[in-house]
Amino acid sequence: MRMAPFAAGALIVLQGTAPRDDGQWTMPARDYAATRYSGLTQITPANATRLKPIWSFSTGVLGGHEGQPLVVGSTMYVVTPFPNVLYAFDLTREGYPLKWKYRPAVNPTALGTACCDAINRGAVYADGKIIYNLLDGHTVAVDATDGHELWRTQIADLSQGETTPMAPFVAGNRVIVGPSGGEFGIWGWVKGLDLATGKILWTAHNMGPDSAMLARPGVGRYVGEPNIGVSTWQGDSWRRGGAPVWGWISYDPQVDLIYFGTGNPGPYNTEQRPGENKWTNSVLARRPRDGTLIWAYQFTPHDSWDYDSNAEMILADLVVGGRMRHVLVHFDKNGFAYTLDRVTGELLVAEPFANVTWAKGINKRTGLPILDTTKTTGASRGNVKGICPSLEGGKSPASPSAYSPHTGLFYTATNNLCMNFEAAPVTRIPGTPYIGATTPYMAGPGGNMGEFIAWDAARGHKVWGIKEKFPVWSGSVVTAGDVVFYGTLDGWFKAANARTGKELWKFKVGSGVVGAPISFRGPDGKQYIAVYAGIGGDWFLLSGDVRSDDPADVRPPADFAPELARHTSQGGIVWIFGL
Amino acid sequence: MSMDVVRHAACVCLTLLAACGRSDSGGGSTPPSVRYPDHVAAGGNQPPAVEVNSPLTADSANASDGSKIFSSMNCDGCHGGGALGWVGPSLVDGRWRYGGTDGALYQSIFYGRPRGMPAYGGVMSPGAIWKVIAYIRAQPVPAVVPTQRWTGEPRR
């Protein structure tokens, strides 16, 4: 199958063949392989202690500032949480003034259909366009030069509980998008839009009949049984079974496949959806041109714990078991880090990167988890205690990892939280939550609720870690200078030596960090690091008293992290740091 | 995606429609409008409107029914278990975005509110709405808590 020609401006970086870094950051994870690796070398472990703030800008928006800016040429683009303002900053002028600001009309009703704050995970640049999703189920393309709207397409249905905070991905001339709504009983999908016009060219559901999944069993490498998206569910429960696509997408142009994870099955009460619930909590490989499902692997069959698999699939070439393999690496909410052959879907490595109690391991031959059945949940099983990780995940998919081909290591935020889980029956009412569980959290062993770690994905073990008091919920960027950056919920932005894990520098950025840092080269030839401050996302729900804008909504601090609200409140700020 | 602190009462499904779809116990018909005494009236004059009051007595049976409906209609999915606040605001802090009178609460539930509150008038009867209001009214409202203090050693 031939792939479509690449859009102008698209970058291809594959490990081992990385061209010299052009200093831009044009897509969410910087490259198709989702590495979040910057080839820039000016900032090093030796000089990182001299990093200082260069510039900051209040976005005027309070929602959780997930995602990352883009830098294209000498312009930096920032998408805010709802109401999804798009700012274009001129990096050639002192103070980086705005070139323009795009203000879409966004339906505020979406605020009641977004499960976990009014977040946005960023934009993508392609073909002269900045493309991103509005929370209310639209994708827009804006002229990168002057900010005028080029097209606007409704992709999702608020009335069914679908919202769209994910960052679109462009492969060839297709814009790939998906919805949130795993807590609203949606029928999860991805869509392929025409880059030029925004027209929806294909829709591929993640469950249901093969015709809806664009699956052709026996063709190519897809080996699922016919209509496995129906037979692994009871009755028509797949129609409201969740499997949202709210995370990140990667692309291997050599084999012409996109890779993305699907989210949790709904509702949380397992007894309303007997079966393996394919393809929830899975990685799917599809052809970007027409959406055809090529292979799939389910990380957590019949999910009992809200272990979405929306985390990034990082593409790398690693020596595994003495052989060079084209792999994808994935840190799942379920606490295991997986290394799979990305051409065939073969499972190569699956080892815990966080404290795990729900399973004793992963059977490499069958690919199935070896369950601790005392941790299985359901309405008839009462309050099941001591489940680790919590449903925030061993790592949140909202906190994308980075991979350095220079060190060969993967860098990721992690959470050290456990939970109790009491499920109950629930009824689907379209446009309202469809959940059915009470799930209080507590700190895991050691008491530190988070750790930033470096991971060897060929062998499946942690190389180093920096323990943090609170869960670590930021993305990360690693540079060719061997410096890795991340932020904390209590508002520190930090640099560490990518080889040793030694903390090099930190700065208090004004609000908790749930965004993902980037590195770029400015018009002055210098290397910079940019990151958002602005606590939110799940922490809008979990932190307790961090919102100060609403006199009619006053809450106590979180019971499991009462100190968090002492260090941060909401509020979006874009920061740029340099030497 | 991630969530929760959400409790769902085990009743539901079948009783839902009976409780919410048809029951009209004491609800009467939909009021044409309500008075918002806590809004600023232009010229100091309140617009003419009906002052709507709950037809229910504040007894524990109504609050208990309302608690079940609060779960079965997925109210807790947004407002949290115990209505303590989640992605939607707390309903038990004694403070109200759109007014805290019976009539204002009824209006909020029946017609929805623009920043995400669904209009439940299509699936809940007036009687069921009044029971949910009875449940909310029965929750303890904290004494005035304008100050959050962190004193002494950090707890963790």
Side-chain angles (χ1 to χ4, degrees), chain A residues 554-574:
Chain A
V554 178
R555 310 179 190 190
D559 55 358
F560 67 96
E563 287 287 309
L564 183 53
R566 189 177 198 176
H567 298 284
T568 182
S569 285
Q570 287 186 293
I573 309 169
V574 190

Side-chain angles (χ1 to χ4, degrees), chain A residues 444-513:
Chain A
N448 62 297
M449 286 182 273
E451 185 173 13
F452 187 78
I453 67 167
W455 180 260
D456 177 343
R459 293 170 192 81
H461 69 84
K462 183 170 84 176
V463 176
W464 54 255
I466 303 171
K467 288 186 164 51
E468 295 285 354
K469 180 175 174 179
F470 299 109
V472 190
W473 240 70
S474 85
S476 49
V477 61
V478 61
T479 70
D482 286 347
V483 181
V484 62
F485 295 87
Y486 70 100
T488 67
L489 287 181
D490 51 344
W492 292 101
F493 184 55
K494 297 188 174 184
N497 184 316
R499 293 192 180 274
T500 65
K502 180 175 184 282
E503 185 178 297
L504 301 169
W505 167 88
K506 65 179 179 179
F507 183 82
K508 194 78 157 67
V509 290
S511 181
V513 181

Side-chain angles (χ1 to χ4, degrees), chain A residues 116 121 183 264 268 306 308 391 424 427 432-433 435-439 441 469 538 550-555 562, chain B residues 1-4 6-8 12-13 73-74 85-90 93 95-97 114-116 120 148 150 156:
Chain A
C116 317
R121 298 201 168 90
E183 280 65 44
N264 64 282
Y268 288 8
D306 187 34
D308 303 68
L391 60 74
T427 303
T432 75
I435 301 169
T438 306
T439 58
Y441 301 159
K469 180 175 174 179
D538 286 15
D550 188 350
D553 189 7
V554 178
R555 310 179 190 190
Chain B
M1 203 146 184
S2 304
M3 295 238 70
D4 296 4
V6 176
R7 166 170 287 279
H8 287 273
V12 228
C13 303
M73 298 310 289
N74 303 334
W86 192 239
V87 71
S90 169
D93 57 4
R95 305 183 185 201
W96 301 99
R97 284 182 184 173
R115 290 175 69 85
Y120 275 90
Q148 175 70 45
W150 288 266
R156 202 192 305 276

